[in-house]
Amino acid sequence: MADCFAVSTQANDFPVIDLSGSIAAVVAEIADACEKWGAFQVVNHGMPLELHAKFELAMKKFFAQPTDEKRKLRKDIGGVKPYDYGYEEFAKNVNDWKEVFDFPLEKQTATSMSYDLEDTTARELIHSWPEYPSDFRYLSSILIHLSIFFLTILRMEACVQYGQEMEKLSFKLMELISLSLGLPRQRLNGFFKDHTSMGRLIHCPPCPTPQLVLGTHEHTDVGALTILSQDSAGGLEAKRTFDGKWIPVKFVPDAYVINMGDMLEVWSNKKYVSLVHRAKVNSERERFSIPFFFNPAYYVVMEPIEELTNEQNPAKYRAFNWGKYYGSRKYGNFKNPEIDVLRLKHFKV
Ligand SMILES: O=C(O)CCC(=O)C(=O)O
Ligand SMILES: [Fe+2]
């Protein structure tokens, strides 16, 4: 907890990368940012800004409802309904000053939910959508496609459509990261065939004692990479690898913060290290944040990419299964404090 009071340095060189630049320049900037920070912000990323704005509005309407309404969608951590509305986070024995709504991607149906390494079964996960606001599920913008012979009206689910765009951006980033590691562009794509990604909506109400709590406690993200949108209230902080100082990640309009998760640390054999980060709250205004976690398929065996290891640089992690790693997070929680949540340190060579 003492860390909550650490004063962040004002010097701020957290990288902002313009994805519309030449591939060679972007790849070089990503390599530099990943090695120094394990993170960067992106602008001109191709995500439709109008869709993002509508999605944000639907999120705000959802959180503005009375708590009793939101509680109807209560998640069941450690059960088969791990998504939806809640306060607590997986695998953290501390409370954050926030409420969240988690949603999977539409096509995701099953994942390995057990922390038991012997149990190889996958489970079907249950998830519910709120009835209000109606455009939370269905975007109010109706795309009308008119051809000579027919008229098609498409109503896309807001979270689903947002998820689809996030998926596209995730693959684009994963390819750039692959190139930045000196690998073929699509070298990492196969790990995401049936990916277990999810989106999270975060609301931190104004806090009377912001010096005593955090919106999100210090952690690294478990998956491959995270695409996060924070609002102008800011609050996100990154721990700079080389000196351990907390640096505020400045709000940049229309930008996303990209950070490496534990799985990229493994694949890159620690050339890139997953970003330690946290988020502060403030007494005057509420803050919103939307992370999207791009995760491998539950059956993926995680280990350093062969081409990135050699005699001088042997594998720093031994092989483990992503589904189990992820499952242990979902089960190791307030309800099951005795469960030893799997962490990267358990697989260090
Ligand atoms: O509150 C935030 O903006 C950070 C959220 C985050 O890091 C997470 O949910 O993994
Ligand atoms: Fe995070």
Side-chain angles (χ1 to χ4, degrees):
M1 283 300 281
D3 238 350
C4 297
F5 304 101
V7 180
S8 305
T9 165
Q10 288 312 299
N12 199 332
D13 51 355
F14 194 84
V16 179
I17 301 178
D18 182 344
L19 288 190
S20 66
S22 78
I23 287 226
V26 169
V27 166
E29 282 180 68
I30 287 181
D32 192 50
C34 288
E35 278 187 58
K36 285 198 186 124
W37 286 89
F40 50 93
Q41 301 212 55
V42 287
V43 291
N44 293 321
H45 36 66
M47 169 77 184
L49 299 178
E50 198 207 45
L51 167 66
H52 187 94
K54 283 194 173 130
F55 186 62
E56 251 180 5
L57 205 62
M59 166 183 68
K60 288 180 182 172
K61 281 192 203 161
F62 171 75
F63 282 128
Q65 295 179 98
T67 307
D68 284 352
E69 275 309 306
K70 292 180 277 193
R71 281 207 181 127
K72 288 182 187 163
L73 296 158
R74 193 101 171 80
K75 58 169 132 186
D76 166 24
I77 295 182
V80 289
K81 193 175 182 285
Y83 299 110
D84 305 342
Y85 181 73
Y87 300 101
E88 65 278 84
E89 268 224 66
F90 303 132
K92 284 202 211 151
N93 292 317
V94 283
N95 275 308
D96 290 337
W97 188 268
K98 69 171 174 226
E99 51 180 345
V100 306
F101 181 84
D102 289 344
F103 60 97
L105 288 198
E106 190 181 39
K107 66 184 182 191
Q108 182 191 326
T109 52
T111 190
S112 166
M113 284 295 298
S114 164
Y115 55 87
D116 175 2
L117 291 170
E118 304 302 315
D119 174 8
T120 54
T121 52
R123 288 201 200 183
E124 198 85 17
L125 302 183
I126 298 168
H127 160 66
S128 350
W129 293 111
E131 281 165 24
Y132 176 85
S134 57
D135 55 357
F136 189 77
R137 186 168 187 187
Y138 295 106
L139 269 187
S140 50
S141 87
I142 297 176
L143 303 173
I144 301 175
H145 176 77
L146 185 63
S147 77
I148 295 174
F149 298 108
F150 58 86
L151 170 85
T152 315
I153 299 176
L154 292 172
R155 299 182 83 204
M156 296 291 279
E157 294 181 26
C159 289
V160 173
Q161 197 178 346
Y162 189 84
Q164 283 169 353
E165 290 297 330
M166 281 293 113
E167 184 184 34
K168 264 197 245 165
L169 181 55
S170 300
F171 275 109
K172 180 166 159 181
L173 288 162
M174 201 49 76
E175 291 182 5
L176 292 166
I177 290 170
S178 189
L179 289 170
S180 79
L181 287 164
L183 297 168
R185 190 177 185 137
Q186 300 198 336
R187 177 65 175 88
L188 304 171
N189 290 20
F191 300 123
F192 298 92
K193 190 167 165 289
D194 304 304
H195 58 94
T196 51
S197 307
M198 60 165 254
R200 170 173 295 156
L201 311 177
I202 297 177
H203 174 224
C204 306
C207 175
T209 52
Q211 72 282 13
L212 295 179
V213 292
L214 285 164
T216 299
H217 275 80
E218 170 177 352
H219 67 287
T220 59
D221 293 341
V222 289
L225 60 78
T226 302
I227 303 179
L228 182 143
S229 157
Q230 68 169 342
D231 74 347
S232 57
L236 184 69
E237 295 189 337
K239 197 173 197 171
R240 198 160 51 190
T241 343
F242 69 86
D243 60 2
K245 284 218 164 80
W246 285 107
I247 306 294
V249 179
K250 277 190 192 148
F251 165 72
V252 174
D254 302 327
Y256 289 105
V257 181
I258 313 300
N259 66 266
M260 303 303 105
D262 291 349
M263 299 307 110
L264 259 163
E265 177 167 326
V266 173
W267 282 324
S268 70
N269 203 27
K270 244 178 153 179
K271 183 162 191 217
Y272 299 164
V273 174
S274 58
L275 177 78
V276 180
H277 56 290
R278 68 181 184 185
K280 284 188 169 168
V281 287
N282 71 70
S283 55
E284 272 111 58
R285 46 181 302 200
E286 58 186 347
R287 79 178 278 273
F288 294 92
S289 163
I290 313 173
F292 176 82
F293 305 101
F294 193 48
N295 298 333
Y298 71 87
Y299 46 76
V300 165
V301 174
M302 287 301 312
E303 57 192 326
I305 297 288
E306 211 184 331
E307 304 91 289
L308 299 179
T309 62
N310 54 41
E311 263 176 41
Q312 288 73 48
N313 181 29
K316 295 188 171 74
Y317 293 103
R318 61 189 166 80
F320 63 93
N321 173 276
W322 158 252
K324 295 291 163 202
Y325 192 84
Y326 195 39
S328 89
R329 294 286 168 128
K330 291 200 187 294
Y331 277 84
N333 59 63
F334 297 98
K335 277 188 187 169
N336 295 316
E338 77 281 4
I339 291 170
D340 191 14
V341 172
L342 294 177
R343 302 194 184 277
L344 280 192
K345 65 175 185 204
H346 295 123
F347 302 101
K348 271 194 180 140
V349 172

